[in-house]
Amino acid sequence: MTTREAFARAKAEGRAALIPYLTAGFPSREGFLQAVKEVLPYADLLEIGLPYSDPLGDGPVIQRASEEALRKGMSVQGVLELFREVRALTERPLFLMTYLNPVLAWGPERFFSLFKQAGATGVILPDLPPDEDPALVRLAQEIGLETVFLLAPTSTDRRVETVVGYATGFIYAVSVTGVTGERERLPEEVRDLVRRIRARTSLPVAVGFGVSGRETAAQAAVADGVVVGSALVRALEGGRPLAPLLEEIRQGLLQKEPA
Amino acid sequence: MLRLPDFPLPDERGRFGPYGGRYVPETLIPALEEVEAAYKEAKKDPAFLAELEHYLRTFAGRPTPLYHAKRLSQYWGGAQVYLKREDLLHTGAHKINNTLGQALLARRMGKRRVIAETGAGQHGVSVATVAALFGLECVVYMGEEDVRRQALNVFRMKLLGAEVRPVAAGSRTLKDATNEAIRDWLTHVRTTFYILGSVVGPHPYPMMVREFQSVIGEEVKEESLRMFGRYPDALIAAVGGGSNAIGLFAPFAYLPPKERPRLIGVEAAGEGLSSGRHAASIGAGKRGVLHGSYMYLLYDHDGQITPAHSVSAGLDYPGVGPEHSYYADQGIAEYAGVTDEEALEGFKLLARLEGIIPALESAHAIAHAAKVVPEMDRDQIVVINLSGRGDKDVTEVMRLLGGEL
């Protein structure tokens, strides 16, 4: 299933696409695979994070999950194996979220090719504004990976214009100024950001950061998709089942706030 | 009249050759563009420069002396050794050259809240000081391990009215404090100015910090022409992130090679490069990205940043500024490593021979000079950047030496 089809299918059902995020190897290798099985019935697309030593765009929940996954021995090789296993479970688009340095350490060509072979649909690069390294972005695309970049409430129209020019797959709209993590409400400006992005691209727009339950999901559902990360990871941390949270968020996506 | 010099690099994208750039979450890009524009405008504004000069002179204590260390020169029996006495500045280190500049810029931009990362606590104290001076709200992030090693500086910051937030993540040192400061900035970007302490981070910081620090090298240039009628033969400075070294080197680095003194940066080799416990990013690192900049960096086969180690908290950083990375590749400067043990020898040597207790950071430069100076002629001139004083390190050194001398 292509990314466009995944978003279109959700739209046909009158809702925004649900994109769960999980940190690879958290709470353990087996625990992660179990979590994937729990989220798949709800997931239109899936985002998997490569645990990194210095995740400066992430809040405490994902920081802790990354540290724990690394402590338990998760590696780039390990994440590749997990991608292959997840790919065997689903046809849905799978996105790798990774900071840039692991890509550089493996060599971008080797890194991207291996993830493509392991079943990744695309990459999300939170610390790479695409105009910093257009060659690297082109390389990922030539290898057949979609390249997803973030835009934020602080992004000027000129930045939106620049960034969408490099994006394929979808656009990741950050709902808040800040790091990942749950919020009680999303700021109103998320609506404005989605509108400004849509004015400049036909790619689907997914809102992420801060989605914690029904209300925030409904707010985020002004977009074509909603990413849920920290809330899921925190549930895993507490040993709680993921289905009730996903059920609640799905309800929120159906009752989107009027655009 | 103070002037913030122009240099040929970085280019308009913030690159020194391949190094530098802006590898940060998109949220910060507009803020970085805003800081860059404000800085470029301030740099040309005589009122801004006059105010900076006023505070550098009357508050920080510039210019600093270029002191002829005669006993040390005699002891080594080679070149004449001069110390650039940044240790005499208010707050005890060169850091204030930069923090005054950035705080004035923050005020000019209407930002009432400043944040900073700190390792040894020297930069944190310096930021807390200028925040008190200009009435700004101040939060300093410091790794838990450094909070322990530098308790006195933590108390100093609190006395100055700053809030110190210990960081428990990762290696609990400067790199993690920097992550947390960046996260704070991501969250409060509209109201907050990030006062970065070294020539690292996303553009324009490596450029801006260099220019505020280049007053060191500009003074050395002027003083050496006055005192010797020529430039020194060699300049030596310790390199962690690299701000004191860039401050000394940059005014000389872009001279034609024949006119350029030998520039020697000294990295912390910790327990030795082969031990894996060191902070020598150029000596033993690879190219990579951390805190927004492409530079030499310490990381493992998967790109995970490896914790740096040095007896000196101020050198305990796994990367090195993009301009140093460029100098190293181009052979503009050479970089050497000094172990913890050698640095402690340098620390004791300067205390005994010259009556100056240096910061452990600066003690690395002294320790390397001990290898270079004896090989030089007596009519040659070496300038060592004494970037800070050692009061902050006395407790730690006493612990390391077991109270015995």
Side-chain angles (χ1 to χ4, degrees), chain A residues 35 106 236-237 243:
Chain A
W106 274 61
L236 284 174
E237 208 175 41

Side-chain angles (χ1 to χ4, degrees), chain A residues 50-59 63 67 70 74-77 99-106 126-133 150-156 158-160 163 174 176-179 183 189 209, chain B residues 13 15 20-31 33 168-172 175-176 178-180 182-190 286-292 294 297-306:
Chain A
L50 188 143
Y52 180 55
S53 56
D54 293 77
L56 56 76
D58 284 301
Q63 285 177 46
E67 276 193 36
L70 290 173
M74 190 41 61
S75 60
V76 171
Q77 193 61 55
Y99 288 89
L100 187 57
N101 209 49
V103 181
L104 300 178
W106 274 61
D127 60 348
L128 180 68
D131 46 335
E132 279 300 316
D133 197 345
L150 280 58
L151 281 163
T154 53
S155 300
T156 57
R158 195 169 52 80
R159 279 307 297 170
V160 174
V163 172
V174 175
V176 294
T177 58
V179 294
R183 310 290 200 279
E189 60 192 358
F209 288 31
Chain B
R13 299 200 50 84
R15 300 282 180 161
R22 255 177 203 160
Y23 296 92
V24 292
E26 192 64 36
T27 306
L28 290 182
I29 295 290
E33 288 174 348
S171 60
R172 302 171 190 210
K175 124 184 132 65
D176 310 282
T178 308
N179 288 338
E180 211 49 40
I182 293 174
R183 290 183 187 118
D184 180 311
W185 202 29
L186 275 165
T187 309
H188 303 105
V189 61
R190 289 178 172 121
K286 294 164 282 189
R287 299 177 182 96
V289 163
L290 181 68
H291 300 145
Y294 187 63
L297 190 61
L298 303 176
Y299 58 86
D300 69 12
H301 62 283
D302 269 357
Q304 309 287 352
I305 308 302
T306 44

Side-chain angles (χ1 to χ4, degrees), chain A residues 20 41 74 108 154 185 202 211 252:
Chain A
M74 190 41 61
T154 53
R185 262 197 84 73
S202 60
V211 178

Side-chain angles (χ1 to χ4, degrees), chain A residues 220-256:
Chain A
V222 295
D224 305 296
V226 175
V227 182
V228 186
S230 296
L232 288 171
V233 174
R234 201 163 59 84
L236 284 174
E237 208 175 41
R240 293 190 297 278
L242 303 180
L245 176 64
L246 289 159
E247 196 61 53
E248 194 193 317
I249 285 165
R250 187 150 72 177
Q251 291 301 315
L253 297 186
L254 285 164
Q255 308 174 330
K256 72 170 110 171

